[in-house]
Amino acid sequence: MKKLSMFYSLVAALMLGTTFTSCSKDDDKNNSNPPDPVVTYHYDLTVVAGNHGGMSKDKSHITLSVASLSDATQQPISFEGKGAEITNYTMESITDGKYYYQVPVSSDRFSKLQFKGNKMTVVQEQKFKENTYKARNYTHAWMGDNTLVIMSTDGEHKNVIWTKLNTTDMTITGEGTLSIKVADDYNVLTTSGILAYRKSDNKLFYFYYNKKETSGSSKTTNEPFFRIAVINPQTMVVEQEIVNKEAAQMTGSAYGELLQQTVFFDEADNLYLSAFSSVSKKNIGKLLRIKNGAFDFEEGYNAFPEAKGKLLTIQYLGNGKVLAYSGDNAVGTSIGDVAYYYSIIDVNSKTSTRLSYNGTEIPYSSGSFSQRSVFNANEKKAYFGVNTADEQCIYIYDLAAGTVTKGVSIAAGYYFDQIRLFED
């Protein structure tokens, strides 16, 4: 499958809970070439006991693989005695194809993992060399199928470090430090930032900002607008550094898209980023755009002006439509508040529509640090999970029809935090 920087190409090839055999280029019946192999997929569902688990360093999580999310008539999916409790590896992870990639809890290596037979297995690991990273606190971008760029600030949050991995064998192919320095009148850089790769002109975009206080301080003062570093991915030279004027912060700047998707490219290779600014001392989300060929955000463009709180997750569905998960500040802002909702954003009209089921808006959900949604491009359907006071279930949005149906439910007793897609 394609990587994040080629997201639209990825979703156009995905198939969830089904099988796929591509046709040969030669339709001649006498063609002796064997057919392409059948590829099957499954979903990994992750729950936590006691409370939501996103960014919780002292929580284990339970993961269970299932083949389908569609059958609303089946018994609720139970985790009792099923799946696997995972303690050495974090929920915050990079995923692609069959594998998870991450810095594990030990914070001493890069791990390539596969959850198979409801057991987490190590495929390959690579000890750190010069640059070291903490679990959960880094960002990433894919360049092609097998090159993964990892980036973060160092232990003192004074410099931005980078490492390139060949994910075929997890070898480190390069590492170093960017030329970015802490700006005058500030003391540290944000923990991870957000990284993205634009294929059309072979550029890395790194989004970050400066802070007065060390990472994690609730009293820190950030610079008023975050920055864009445009990087040559071959030399890792910073070619431009731009202070944007459209928003104060990027969503997910501490965990760098390991937990939630916050950046994507459309068919034209325009870059979209989830961000926010403070309005009357409340954080309000924005969906910003850098047009293909440009390096700064389009002035005045915000595809989500109806935001009621932070824009937490964005997933591109094609044809200008985005599945968004966002908050309502009037209801609550903490991780456990039932204050978050799903909508479809149209990036062309810059409007959003709250998703409904049987004529009624889908209830608000708890869990601000979560990614309970995937997109099946073959079916043109998005599957998204909701935690309410009464139930935990998965809804199905049909992109072509614009309708919502119900899928499977999740048994009570756990906090439902993630859906992930993998090849078998």
Side-chain angles (χ1 to χ4, degrees):
M1 288 189 290
K2 299 298 183 183
K3 306 307 186 281
L4 178 60
S5 63
M6 298 175 282
F7 179 73
Y8 183 72
S9 297
L10 179 152
V11 297
L14 293 181
M15 296 188 61
L16 308 182
T18 185
T19 60
F20 176 75
T21 304
S22 64
C23 296
S24 170
K25 292 181 180 178
D26 186 356
D27 290 331
D28 190 337
K29 293 182 180 179
N30 296 320
N31 180 21
S32 60
N33 292 331
D36 290 339
V38 172
V39 179
T40 58
Y41 294 84
H42 65 272
Y43 307 86
D44 283 358
L45 307 180
T46 296
V47 298
V48 176
N51 202 345
H52 286 289
M55 296 304 294
S56 180
K57 297 180 181 180
D58 59 350
K59 296 284 186 183
S60 63
H61 56 281
I62 301 169
T63 298
L64 174 69
S65 291
V66 299
S68 174
L69 300 174
S70 300
D71 188 1
T73 65
Q74 75 176 66
Q75 291 295 313
I77 296 173
S78 174
F79 289 77
E80 190 69 31
K82 299 178 182 178
E85 183 175 6
I86 300 171
T87 57
N88 296 327
Y89 300 97
T90 72
M91 287 177 57
E92 297 80 8
S93 201
I94 303 162
T95 60
D96 181 76
K98 298 180 179 181
Y99 306 112
Y100 294 86
Y101 301 89
Q102 66 168 257
V103 175
V105 173
S106 57
S107 295
D108 62 348
R109 62 191 186 273
F110 300 108
S111 296
K112 180 179 181 178
L113 310 166
Q114 186 174 20
F115 192 72
K116 191 171 184 178
N118 283 322
K119 180 181 179 181
M120 188 68 83
T121 59
V122 175
V123 177
Q124 208 150 14
E125 293 188 307
Q126 170 66 58
K127 287 282 189 179
F128 295 153
K129 289 186 178 179
E130 294 183 11
N131 288 340
T132 62
Y133 298 84
K134 289 179 62 178
R136 302 177 173 88
N137 295 147
Y138 50 96
T139 187
H140 73 282
W142 289 96
M143 292 170 48
D145 286 337
N146 301 311
T147 299
L148 181 60
V149 185
I150 305 293
M151 200 173 288
S152 178
T153 53
D154 61 9
E156 295 183 348
H157 306 291
K158 300 286 189 180
N159 298 289
V160 180
I161 58 175
W162 60 268
T163 299
K164 291 182 183 178
L165 293 166
N166 180 337
T167 57
T168 302
D169 56 11
M170 294 302 287
T171 54
I172 293 174
T173 60
E175 59 182 335
T177 302
L178 295 182
S179 60
I180 293 170
K181 299 299 180 185
V182 178
D184 292 343
D185 299 323
Y186 294 92
N187 299 313
V188 293
L189 299 167
T190 186
T191 304
S192 299
I194 299 293
L195 186 65
Y197 173 68
R198 190 166 70 188
K199 182 182 178 182
S200 56
D201 59 356
N202 190 33
K203 300 296 182 186
L204 284 167
F205 287 76
Y206 180 58
F207 305 99
Y208 73 101
Y209 54 86
N210 293 272
K211 307 169 70 172
K212 287 284 191 182
E213 306 296 334
T214 56
S215 178
S217 171
S218 61
K219 298 180 180 180
T220 189
T221 300
N222 303 330
E223 59 181 329
F225 297 97
F226 67 88
R227 301 187 180 217
I228 308 165
V230 182
I231 303 165
N232 181 321
Q234 272 64 52
T235 63
M236 297 304 288
V237 169
V238 177
E239 297 179 336
Q240 297 186 59
E241 188 174 353
I242 300 165
V243 179
N244 101 90
K245 296 298 182 183
E246 302 300 318
Q249 295 185 46
M250 321 81 66
T251 303
S253 59
Y255 49 88
E257 275 210 304
L258 300 174
L259 198 59
Q260 295 167 285
Q261 187 176 345
T262 62
V263 62
F264 67 83
F265 290 85
D266 65 12
E267 299 92 325
D269 220 17
N270 300 313
L271 183 157
Y272 295 82
L273 179 74
S274 172
F276 62 92
S277 293
S278 179
V279 179
S280 300
K281 299 184 179 180
K282 296 285 187 177
N283 291 327
I284 300 296
K286 296 182 175 183
L287 182 53
L288 308 180
R289 178 168 70 186
I290 298 177
K291 298 191 78 172
N292 188 2
F295 300 99
D296 197 357
F297 291 107
E298 186 176 346
E299 185 177 357
Y301 179 90
N302 173 22
F304 192 36
E306 297 97 339
K308 301 176 182 179
K310 274 189 178 182
L311 176 55
L312 302 170
T313 297
I314 50 174
Q315 287 185 290
Y316 191 55
L317 307 180
N319 296 322
K321 300 297 192 299
V322 180
L323 175 64
Y325 182 62
S326 59
D328 186 340
N329 290 336
V331 180
T333 58
S334 74
I335 187 172
D337 287 336
V338 183
Y340 307 95
Y341 63 97
Y342 290 93
S343 55
I344 298 296
I345 296 173
D346 186 317
V347 299
N348 297 313
S349 65
K350 296 181 283 188
T351 59
S352 65
T353 304
R354 175 97 174 267
L355 285 174
S356 298
Y357 171 66
N358 282 348
T360 302
E361 289 183 338
I362 292 172
Y364 280 13
S365 178
S366 65
S368 58
F369 292 124
S370 64
Q371 176 94 39
R372 294 184 299 264
S373 57
V374 293
F375 179 55
N376 180 340
N378 181 67
E379 298 177 351
K380 296 191 182 301
K381 293 179 181 178
Y383 295 77
F384 57 98
V386 173
N387 287 326
T388 71
D390 301 319
E391 65 175 348
Q392 299 184 111
C393 66
I394 292 169
Y395 290 86
I396 305 165
Y397 173 70
D398 187 312
L399 178 61
T403 57
V404 175
T405 56
K406 263 193 177 182
V408 299
S409 295
I410 307 297
Y414 298 94
Y415 290 81
F416 178 28
D417 281 329
Q418 280 189 355
I419 306 174
R420 291 290 186 263
L421 164 73
F422 294 93
E423 298 174 6
D424 290 332

